[in-house]
Amino acid sequence: MTFRTLLPVVALLAAAALALPRSAAQPGTKTAPPPGTPPVEAADFLLPDESKMTPFRERTPIVFVTSNQPEWKGLKGFWSEGTQNAADPTSGATFAQKVVKIKVPLGLTQAPAVPAENPMTLEKWVLGKKLYYDKILSTDGTVACASCHSPTKGFADGRRTSTGINSALGPINSPTVFNTAYNRFQFWDGRGSSLEDQAQGPVGNNKEMFGGKGDPWEEAVVRLRADAEYVKAFNRVFGHAPTRDAAAKAVATYERTVLLGNSLDDRAYAQMRARVTEEESGKFVLKPEDYATVLKAELAAKGPALKDLGLDPEKDAAKADEVGKRILNGRTLFFDKARCTNCHTGDTYTDHGFHNLGVGAKDGSLPLDEFGRFVRLPTGHKDQAFVGAFKTPGTRGLLWTAPYMHSGEEKTLEEVVEFYDRGGNVNPWLSEKMRDTAAEAAYVKARAEGKPVDPAVKTFGPSKKPIIPLKLNLSAQEKADLVLFLKALNGEPLDPIVANPDTFPGR
C-alpha cells in the first residue's frame, strides 16, 4: 500500500481519535458511564457545528468600559444594555447589534483580559452563571462553585479552610473570586494559568466536588448531557453538547465580571485629581480634605462605606475631617513605613508573585504541605526561593473575605497587621522582603570576628545562616490607622446581576 492510499485511513483514524474522551486514549483508564446515562464522546472537547449555534446577528457580546474611556461616565450602572455597529462575518453587511457594556468599577483602570478563544457573550455568561451556582458538577449534587465562593461571603466562604463533598475538610483557605479576572496565576500555589484553567480544578478534587472513582469530568459531562436544558444551552452557545472545555469557558466568562472597586479610597483619589485640575496646581497629591469630601458625601447619602469604617451617619456626621486624616495616615504607612507595597501593588494591590511569610512555620520548621509554589514548579525547574511561597492576594474586599492568609489563621485585619509588624514567622526560606538583611549581615560579621551575637537569632543549615525578621515597630495608633485605610479599600457592593444567584438579564 502506497502513502497516497494510506491517507484516507490516516484521516479516519485521526477523526476517531478526536472523538474519543481523553481517558479513552489511555488503555485501562476508561470507565463506563452509569447505567441509563448517554454515552460520553469527547468529554473534554468537541468542534462546533455552527448550524446549532445562535445566529451571529442574534448574539449579544459583552464588552468592558473603563473610567479612562469617554462613554464610562454616561453609563448609568454596572450593567448597561445597548447597541453597537457590527458586520456580519458571512455577508459583510453592517447592522445594529445588541451589546452589554460592563462599567468597570472606579479604581480598576484596565479591562480584564479576555482570551481570543473565549469571547464573552450574554448567552455564555448566563450559562456560566447557572453552572457556577448549580451543584450538578459535583458527584453527589451537594457542592457548587458557590459553596466555597459565595457572594454573601465575599465570594469566599468565611471559613478557615473549606468543606467539600462528603464533608471533606480542605487544607487551605478559599480565595475570593473578586477581581480574579486580573490574576496572572490562579489558586494559592499558582497552578492555574487562567480562569478557564481554575474552573476545571474543583470538579476533579476529592475534597471539593469529586466523590467517584472514574474520570471526574467524564462523569460531570454525563450529568450535564442528561439535562435537556443544559444540552440546549451548550448547543446554542458552543454548537455542540456539553464538554469540559465549554463548561470551563462558560464559568470563566461569568467570573470575569466579578469586579470590585469604587472604594472610598478610589473616590478620594478621583476627588484629588478633580481638585488639582481645578486649582491648576499640577500637584497630584492626596490631602486629608480629599478624603473628608468623599466622606461627607457618603455620610449625607448614608452609603455602605460608613459600615466599613464603623461610622454612624447620625452620630458621626462631624467626624469626616478627623477620619479623613487617619485614612490618609494609614495610606502613607501602607506605601512607606509598613512596606505593604513591597508586594501589594497596582489596581488590585498584588504583585502576582509568591512569597514565604512564614505562614505555617512552627519553631522555625516548615512542613512539606506548606511548601506552596515550590511543589507546583515543574521537575527540573525547582527553585528553593519558592519553598513555602504562596500567591500575594489583593487587598480589595478584605472586610468580606476574612479569615486571612492561605491558612486562614488570621481572623481579623488587626491580627494581619500584628503578623506583619513582627516580621512574619521565622523559617529557613523566609522571603527577603520580610527580613532584616542588614541585621543579618551584622550578625554574620560579628560572629566571624568572635564578637557576642544575639542568642535569640535563629540560624539554619551547616553554615548557620541567620534569619532575622524585619519588625515594623508600628505604634498602636499607626496600626489602627493602617487598618482603617485597608477598610477604606473595601469597595462598593457588587451589582445584584452578578451577586444575586437568581437575578438574570431580562427577568
Side-chain angles (χ1 to χ4, degrees), residues 86-131:
D88 190 300
T90 303
S91 65
T94 58
F95 64 99
Q97 183 182 46
K98 291 182 179 179
V99 63
V100 170
K101 294 184 178 181
I102 301 294
K103 187 175 184 179
V104 177
L106 190 67
L108 304 176
T109 58
Q110 296 182 3
V114 179
E117 69 276 12
N118 191 24
M120 295 181 64
T121 66
L122 178 57
E123 274 188 311
K124 191 186 295 181
W125 184 91
V126 169
L127 173 58
K129 184 175 181 180
K130 288 179 178 178
L131 287 169

Side-chain angles (χ1 to χ4, degrees), residues 2 45 52 54 70 116 158 171 210 240-241 272 288 332 386 419 436 466 474:
T2 66
F45 64 89
K52 297 178 180 179
T54 297
F210 185 53
H240 55 66
M272 176 271 291
T332 302
F386 290 97
F419 176 88
D436 189 338
L474 300 176

Side-chain angles (χ1 to χ4, degrees), residues 168-192:
L169 189 64
I172 205 163
N173 180 257
S174 179
T176 180
V177 182
F178 286 149
N179 297 331
T180 50
Y182 295 97
N183 285 356
R184 195 175 302 157
F185 301 96
Q186 305 294 338
F187 301 107
W188 281 106
D189 57 13
R191 66 186 181 275

Side-chain angles (χ1 to χ4, degrees), residues 81-324:
E81 298 183 12
T83 59
Q84 65 179 9
N85 292 328
D88 190 300
T90 303
S91 65
T94 58
F95 64 99
Q97 183 182 46
K98 291 182 179 179
V99 63
V100 170
K101 294 184 178 181
I102 301 294
K103 187 175 184 179
V104 177
L106 190 67
L108 304 176
T109 58
Q110 296 182 3
V114 179
E117 69 276 12
N118 191 24
M120 295 181 64
T121 66
L122 178 57
E123 274 188 311
K124 191 186 295 181
W125 184 91
V126 169
L127 173 58
K129 184 175 181 180
K130 288 179 178 178
L131 287 169
Y132 184 91
Y133 292 98
D134 197 334
K135 297 176 181 178
I136 194 172
L137 291 176
S138 63
T139 301
D140 62 358
T142 61
V143 181
C145 300
S147 299
C148 298
H149 304 280
S150 170
T152 61
K153 297 178 181 178
F155 279 89
D157 65 1
R159 299 169 60 90
R160 180 173 175 177
T161 61
S162 299
T163 301
I165 199 166
N166 299 322
S167 299
L169 189 64
I172 205 163
N173 180 257
S174 179
T176 180
V177 182
F178 286 149
N179 297 331
T180 50
Y182 295 97
N183 285 356
R184 195 175 302 157
F185 301 96
Q186 305 294 338
F187 301 107
W188 281 106
D189 57 13
R191 66 186 181 275
S193 60
S194 66
L195 285 175
E196 287 78 4
D197 196 9
Q198 181 277 327
Q200 300 172 54
V203 175
N205 192 314
N206 60 12
K207 290 189 176 181
E208 296 188 53
M209 289 186 174
F210 185 53
K213 295 181 180 179
D215 183 286
W217 268 103
E218 282 189 9
E219 294 182 14
V221 168
V222 165
R223 296 190 294 273
L224 289 171
R225 292 185 184 179
D227 186 303
E229 289 302 312
Y230 272 126
V231 172
K232 180 180 178 181
F234 273 85
N235 271 296
R236 288 183 64 83
V237 174
F238 296 102
H240 55 66
T243 63
R244 175 178 181 170
D245 178 76
K249 286 175 176 174
V251 171
T253 295
Y254 167 66
E255 290 181 329
R256 238 169 222 114
T257 62
V258 183
L259 302 179
L260 182 66
N262 198 31
S263 69
L264 191 137
D265 179 68
D266 296 318
R267 283 175 270 161
Y269 190 82
Q271 162 61 28
M272 176 271 291
R273 294 193 66 84
R275 172 182 58 78
V276 173
T277 300
E278 183 177 348
E279 294 172 348
E280 297 183 348
S281 65
K283 298 178 180 179
F284 291 95
V285 178
L286 277 162
K287 293 183 177 180
E289 65 190 71
D290 298 315
Y291 285 101
T293 298
V294 296
L295 272 170
K296 289 172 184 177
E298 192 76 358
L299 284 161
K302 298 181 179 181
L306 300 180
K307 182 180 178 182
D308 298 342
L309 301 175
L311 297 177
D312 184 288
E314 305 297 335
K315 298 178 182 179
D316 300 323
K319 291 185 177 180
D321 292 331
E322 173 194 345
V323 175

